């Protein structure tokens, strides 16, 4: 069984969780032998670029350590052999060109999603 | 080719991402798949006759079967008679049957 | 795989915040009445759905006391779905993501709920006829 993880929501609870739950669960399931691909869609296309820094949060005397590193977490999916696609039009709408994507990420058009979906048994939209 | 069930819980008035979802339904249908867009919750708000819903109305002409959850419609005071052309009211069981039959099901 | 369908659902939302949970539980109700094997992986806030300490309250705006208001609680819905599944020869296996439980202090769940990991989601999905992931927004 192969599932395509379509990640559409972004920056929702990343400070509290120190990661994105959809990205995290992709890593966790891959570690259990899951066959997965990933599509970054909607605001989640913003995870495709380097240089994201969520450090520096503090509440009173309490300092948050280990801030989320979404760029690292996405790059690490690629390192694990997971195909990670980024929807070009969604990125362009948000001022990101595909040349800015991190190495290893695969640009894909909205129209090409139908073909990609055909390669997977199930489509999981997060 | 595959069967797809897209469960559309969001409406285009609050979230423009819904229009991208409609596009996805069209693209899947254009690729030769059998596609059902099942409106539920606030997703049904676009199904009311007179709503600014040209993008939704265009779907049935493009081969997408557009259904709407009868409970969600009733909850929002939308009668079957007041649905836009191309949108049909049905029970959640209709969507469930497709899901249980193994149709590729995507919650939107 | 048996002739009874096996279906997996993953949900992420807690109660009293949005409409997704009601819709998903309506789908699970259909499956329970048909005696299907149902697996639910409760991820993130959804682990609070079967929290045992949920309590009803009266509603002065409605003019109802506690009994009259009969305020719905997600834990009771889930217990009812578990019973319906059993009564119809099926099963509702509710798996709470253990890490999500710990970070929210939601360890006190109703009977029939077990702790699990994302590996359980994958194994349930792999053994099911279909899977529905319901993300949050």
């Amino acid at each position: 069984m192969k599932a395509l993880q379509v990640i559409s929501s972004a920056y929702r609870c990343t400070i509290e969780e120190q990661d994105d739950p959809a990205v995290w669960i992709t890593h966790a399931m891959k570690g259990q032998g899951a066959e997965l691909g990933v599509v970054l869609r909607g605001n989640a296309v913003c995870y495709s670029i380097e240089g994201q820094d969520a450090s520096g949060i503090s509440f009173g005397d309490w300092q948050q350590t280990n801030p989320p590193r979404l760029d690292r977490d996405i790059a690490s999916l690629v390192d694990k052999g997971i195909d990670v696609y980024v929807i070009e039009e969604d990125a362009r709408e948000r001022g990101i060109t595909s040349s800015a994507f991190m190495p290893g990420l695969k640009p894909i058009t909205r129209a090409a999603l139908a073909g990609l979906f055909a390669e997977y048994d199930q489509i999981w939209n997060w | 080719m595959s069967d797809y069930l897209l469960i559309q819980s969001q409406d285009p008035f609050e979230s423009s991402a819904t229009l991208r979802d409609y596009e996805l339904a069209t693209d899947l249908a254009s690729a030769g798949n059998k596609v059902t867009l099942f409106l539920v919750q606030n997703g049904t708000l676009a199904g009311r006759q007179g709503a600014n819903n040209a993008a939704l109305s265009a779907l049935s002409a493009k081969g997408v079967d557009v259904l709407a959850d009868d409970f969600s419609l009733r909850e929002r005071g939308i009668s079957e008679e007041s649905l836009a052309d191309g949108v049909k009211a049905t029970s959640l069981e209709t969507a469930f049957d497709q899901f249980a039959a193994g149709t590729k099901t995507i919650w939107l | 795989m048996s002739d009874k369908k096996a279906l997996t659902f993953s949900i992420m939302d807690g109660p009293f915040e949005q409409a997704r949970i009601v819709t998903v539980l309506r789908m699970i109700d259909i499956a329970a009445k048909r005696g299907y094997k149902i697996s639910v992986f409760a991820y993130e806030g959804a682990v609070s759905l079967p929290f045992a300490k949920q309590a009803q309250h009266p509603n002065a705006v409605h003019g109802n006391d506690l009994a009259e208001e009969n305020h719905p609680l997600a834990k009771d819905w889930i217990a009812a779905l578990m019973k319906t599944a059993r009564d119809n020869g099926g099963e509702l296996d509710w798996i709470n993501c253990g890490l999500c439980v710990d970070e929210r202090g939601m360890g006190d769940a109703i009977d029939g709920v077990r702790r699990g990991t994302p590996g359980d989601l994958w194994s349930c999905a792999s053994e099911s006829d279909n899977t529905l992931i319901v993300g949050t927004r």
Side-chain angles (χ1 to χ4, degrees):
Chain A
M1 209 270 278
K2 283 175 64 180
L4 184 64
Q5 301 272 85
V6 180
I7 301 177
S8 304
S9 172
Y11 304 107
R12 186 179 52 79
C13 58
T14 45
I15 301 295
E16 292 160 276
E17 292 290 3
Q18 298 172 301
D19 50 48
D20 178 288
V23 176
W24 182 86
I25 203 168
T26 305
H27 278 286
M29 289 191 294
K30 177 68 176 175
Q32 298 292 317
E35 285 191 70
L36 300 167
V38 169
V39 173
L40 301 179
R41 183 176 189 243
N43 283 341
V45 297
C46 299
Y47 291 170
S48 64
I49 58 171
E50 287 177 325
Q52 306 192 30
D53 179 5
S55 64
I57 291 285
S58 64
F59 300 108
D61 294 338
W62 188 90
Q63 299 281 333
Q64 172 148 344
T65 58
N66 296 315
R69 289 283 312 278
L70 277 313
D71 46 4
R72 176 201 59 193
D73 293 346
I74 293 294
S76 148
L77 290 173
V78 175
D79 292 342
K80 290 176 180 174
I82 296 176
D83 289 329
V84 180
Y85 300 87
V86 187
I87 299 181
E88 286 180 296
E89 296 97 323
D90 292 6
R92 207 160 45 238
E93 279 178 351
R94 291 160 178 82
I96 301 170
T97 57
S98 54
S99 60
F101 295 166
M102 290 184 290
L105 301 187
K106 301 179 177 187
I108 189 170
T109 62
R110 288 175 185 153
L113 281 181
L116 183 65
F117 283 11
E119 297 174 19
Y120 290 82
D121 301 301
Q122 296 186 2
I123 314 300
W124 295 2
N125 186 42
W126 295 88
Chain B
M1 295 304 109
S2 296
D3 292 353
Y4 285 88
L5 169 64
L6 309 185
I7 301 178
Q8 180 57 262
S9 65
Q10 299 187 91
D11 64 88
F13 313 116
E14 190 171 75
S15 170
S16 62
T18 305
L19 298 174
R20 303 287 87 77
D21 296 338
Y22 294 170
E23 274 181 45
L24 175 63
T26 302
D27 289 342
L28 287 167
S30 299
N33 299 295
K34 184 178 181 305
V35 180
T36 300
L37 184 78
F38 187 86
L39 308 176
V40 70
Q41 302 164 198
N42 280 348
T44 59
L45 294 176
R48 197 195 304 257
Q49 210 172 70
N52 184 6
N53 61 358
L56 181 68
S57 299
L59 289 179
S60 56
K62 292 173 180 170
V64 177
D65 198 12
V66 183
L67 305 177
D69 172 44
D70 54 7
F71 174 80
S72 301
L73 291 171
R74 183 158 47 84
E75 185 183 17
R76 288 158 180 78
I78 304 171
S79 66
E80 287 189 35
E81 297 71 35
S82 66
L83 286 173
D85 288 345
V87 182
K88 287 172 282 187
T90 188
S91 71
L92 185 63
E93 205 150 359
T94 305
F96 178 86
D97 285 339
Q98 289 193 24
F99 169 59
T103 296
K104 286 182 175 178
T105 303
I106 308 171
W107 183 282
L108 297 166
Chain C
M1 219 169 268
S2 76
D3 58 338
K4 284 284 179 82
K5 296 281 185 187
L7 300 172
T8 295
F9 299 83
S10 180
I11 50 182
M12 295 181 75
D13 293 296
F16 306 116
E17 304 291 344
Q18 37 63 50
R20 285 180 287 274
I21 293 306
V22 169
T23 304
V24 174
L25 294 186
R26 287 172 63 207
M27 293 182 77
I28 292 172
D29 182 60
I30 298 168
K33 286 173 176 161
R34 293 185 189 179
Y36 289 175
K37 182 179 187 308
I38 309 155
S39 300
V40 174
F41 183 76
Y43 189 41
E44 298 296 348
V47 298
S48 61
L49 292 168
F51 185 55
K53 290 182 177 167
Q54 294 169 11
Q56 292 185 318
H57 56 69
N59 192 325
V61 171
H62 297 166
N64 289 337
D65 64 20
L66 188 79
E68 288 166 341
E69 182 70 3
N70 192 24
H71 195 69
L73 299 174
K75 72 179 176 74
D76 296 335
W77 290 346
I78 293 164
L81 289 169
M82 287 175 170
K83 180 177 184 307
T84 300
R86 280 195 307 272
D87 290 349
N88 288 284
E91 177 195 357
L92 170 51
D93 181 19
W94 187 286
I95 306 160
N96 264 355
C97 162
L99 299 181
C100 311
V101 165
D102 293 342
E103 66 191 5
R104 290 169 177 78
M106 289 288 145
D108 191 359
I110 60 170
D111 287 345
V113 172
R114 67 183 174 97
R115 281 175 69 96
T117 71
D120 290 302
L121 170 58
W122 184 253
S123 61
C124 289
S126 299
E127 294 161 10
S128 290
D129 294 285
N130 212 346
T131 301
L132 181 61
I133 302 292
V134 182
T136 188
R137 292 291 175 269

